[in-house]
Amino acid sequence: MKLQGMPSQAPCTSRAIIPAMKKIPDTLQRFMFENAPIRGELVHLESSWRAVLERHDYPDVLRNLMGELSAAAVLLAATLKLQGSLVLQIQGKGPIKLLVVECSGAGDLQLRATAKWSGDLVQGSLAELVGEGLFVITLDPKDGKQVYQGIVELEGKSVAEILENYMARSEQLETRLWLAADGHCAAGMLLQKLPEQMEKPGQPDKPGQDADAWQRAALLADTLKPEELLHESAQTLIHRLYHEDDMRLFDAQAVTFHCSCSRQSVGQMLKMLGRDEIHGILDERDAIEVFCEFCNQRYEFDRIDAELMFVEAVVVPGSEVRH
Ligand SMILES: [Zn+2]
C-alpha cells in the first residue's frame, strides 16, 4: 500500500501513520443495492452521543452497550415510517437493570438515552451484566393512534444479536446489524433483505441469485472492524465494502440529541402520585425536586405548584370543561 502525497523517501509505512481524528457529522446514511433487493443504513453519532454522556457518569462497560443500543435505535427508527418515536429497552436482573434509548421517527432523528445499574460494573459478557431479562420495543405514533409494544426474552450474546433475533421473529425480515461504541462515538450498520413484493417491478425471479447477493453483502460487512465503523464516514465504508456493486446512496439525515421532557410532563407524572402523597412529601420539605433521567434537567415544585397541579381538575358545574 502506498500513501498518496507522501514523499517517496519518507521512511514510514502506511501502518505507522495514525490519521488525525476526523470529525464526522452525526448522520444516518441510507443506501440500496441497485441489483439486489437489499437495503442498508449507516449511522454515526458523535455530538449527540457525547450529549448523552455529558449528562450522567456511566461506567465504561455500560456506556458501550448503551452506545450500541443508541446506534441501533437510530437505524431502526429510520427504517420505520413512523412520525412518533421508537423506544428500545433492555431490562435485566443482573448488575445492569435497564438500558433505554428513544429515537424519534423518520423525518426527525432525535435521540435520548439513559440507564440504571447497581454497584461497580466489571467487564463481563452481556449475559453476566444483564442477567435474565427482557427486550422491549415500543412504537409510539404520538398522534393518538395506538402504541405498539413488543416484549421478548433477551436472546443473544450482543446488542446486535438481540435485535437481529427480535427482527427475525417479529418483522420476518432478515436483518443484520453491526454496532460499536466508545467514549467518543457510537456507530452502526444495518442490512436488510427486502421482501419479494418490494423488489423492483420487471426484475426477473432469481431467488438463488438474491440469496447469494445477501450472503455476500453480509460477509463483506462482517469484515468491518469496530474502529472502522467508529471512525470512517459512511461514504468511505460503503465504498470500501461494496465498490464492486452498483450502489444508490440517499441524502444523509442529521441525528441530534433532544430530550422531550418538560415541566408539564413532569407535573403530570407527579399528579399521578395523588394529592395525599404529594402533600406528604411537602410536609417534610419545601419543594419536590425532580431530575429528568435522560437529560438531568432539574424541575422544582413547591406547595403552590402542587396546589395548581390539582386545581386544573376542578370543574364548576354547568361550565364548559377546558383543559
Ligand atoms: Zn429530559
Side-chain angles (χ1 to χ4, degrees):
M1 197 191 282
K2 197 163 182 260
L3 276 185
Q4 282 185 341
M6 288 291 293
S8 55
Q9 68 271 29
C12 41
T13 68
S14 62
R15 281 194 180 278
I17 297 166
I18 300 160
M21 208 76 111
K22 290 167 281 188
K23 169 94 180 115
I24 304 171
D26 290 40
T27 42
L28 179 104
Q29 174 71 59
R30 286 164 55 231
F31 58 88
M32 244 185 119
F33 286 70
E34 292 284 14
N35 300 312
I38 302 169
R39 69 173 170 185
E41 290 169 4
L42 275 154
V43 66
H44 182 90
L45 307 173
E46 221 167 287
S47 311
S48 55
W49 177 228
R50 278 206 291 269
V52 170
L53 298 182
E54 274 164 13
R55 282 159 172 83
H56 289 286
D57 198 8
Y58 297 107
D60 289 2
V61 46
L62 171 90
R63 176 201 69 195
N64 294 351
L65 291 174
M66 226 169 112
E68 291 183 14
L69 195 65
S70 299
V74 181
L75 291 168
L76 294 187
T79 65
L80 300 165
K81 300 218 171 10
L82 181 79
Q83 286 313 312
S85 72
L86 166 79
V87 183
L88 300 183
Q89 284 183 59
I90 291 178
Q91 302 175 354
K93 290 183 180 158
I96 293 180
K97 307 291 176 205
L98 181 69
L99 295 174
V100 192
V101 181
E102 181 172 358
C103 185
S104 62
D108 199 12
L109 298 166
Q110 294 180 327
L111 175 81
R112 62 176 188 166
T114 189
K116 283 194 176 86
W117 71 99
S118 65
D120 293 328
L121 296 184
V122 286
Q123 202 72 39
S125 67
L126 187 65
E128 286 161 350
L129 289 164
V130 180
E132 215 178 291
L134 297 172
F135 172 66
V136 184
I137 181 165
T138 311
L139 300 177
D140 183 354
K142 303 228 165 154
D143 58 359
K145 288 201 193 114
Q146 200 167 2
V147 173
Y148 164 85
Q149 193 163 62
I151 304 175
V152 292
E153 278 178 30
L154 275 188
E155 200 188 303
K157 292 190 206 74
S158 63
V159 173
E161 261 187 43
I162 292 170
L163 284 150
E164 285 169 359
N165 287 332
Y166 176 80
M167 296 293 281
R169 274 197 203 170
S170 66
E171 303 277 321
Q172 282 155 11
L173 284 179
E174 249 188 286
T175 307
R176 291 285 317 273
L177 285 151
W178 293 265
L179 306 167
D182 61 19
H184 299 282
C185 25
M189 173 163 160
L190 171 147
L191 284 182
Q192 201 162 56
K193 190 166 182 265
L194 296 173
E196 275 164 42
Q197 66 268 24
M198 284 176 75
E199 286 176 32
K200 285 176 228 157
Q203 258 189 355
D205 206 20
K206 45 182 174 46
Q209 235 175 300
D210 287 350
D212 286 350
W214 168 249
Q215 270 207 321
R216 193 177 148 269
L219 277 173
L220 284 168
D222 278 335
T223 66
L224 268 185
K225 295 185 187 79
E227 313 86 82
E228 291 178 284
L229 198 52
L230 287 171
H231 304 302
E232 298 293 352
S233 69
Q235 287 81 355
T236 306
L237 292 171
I238 294 168
H239 176 76
R240 190 168 293 178
L241 295 173
Y242 305 124
H243 55 95
E244 285 175 18
D245 295 275
D246 229 349
M247 305 298 288
R248 191 195 312 176
L249 270 65
F250 298 88
D251 288 341
Q253 282 173 268
V255 186
T256 50
F257 172 84
H258 175 76
C259 187
S260 53
C261 71
S262 64
R263 188 172 169 81
Q264 197 190 358
S265 62
V266 174
Q268 285 296 328
M269 187 197 72
L270 286 176
K271 201 171 156 182
M272 279 158 64
L273 294 175
R275 200 185 189 113
D276 293 348
E277 179 80 24
I278 296 288
H279 281 272
I281 301 170
L282 285 168
D283 284 343
E284 287 165 24
R285 62 197 80 182
D286 295 338
I288 300 173
E289 218 181 14
V290 181
F291 289 89
C292 171
E293 288 174 350
F294 289 93
C295 68
N296 220 11
Q297 169 73 43
R298 179 180 172 276
Y299 295 96
E300 194 184 280
F301 293 82
D302 62 15
R303 203 166 283 275
I304 296 167
D305 297 325
E307 279 306 324
L308 288 171
M309 226 183 263
F310 294 98
V311 163
E312 281 176 324
V314 175
V315 179
V316 179
S319 71
E320 199 186 337
V321 180
R322 285 182 189 275
H323 294 285

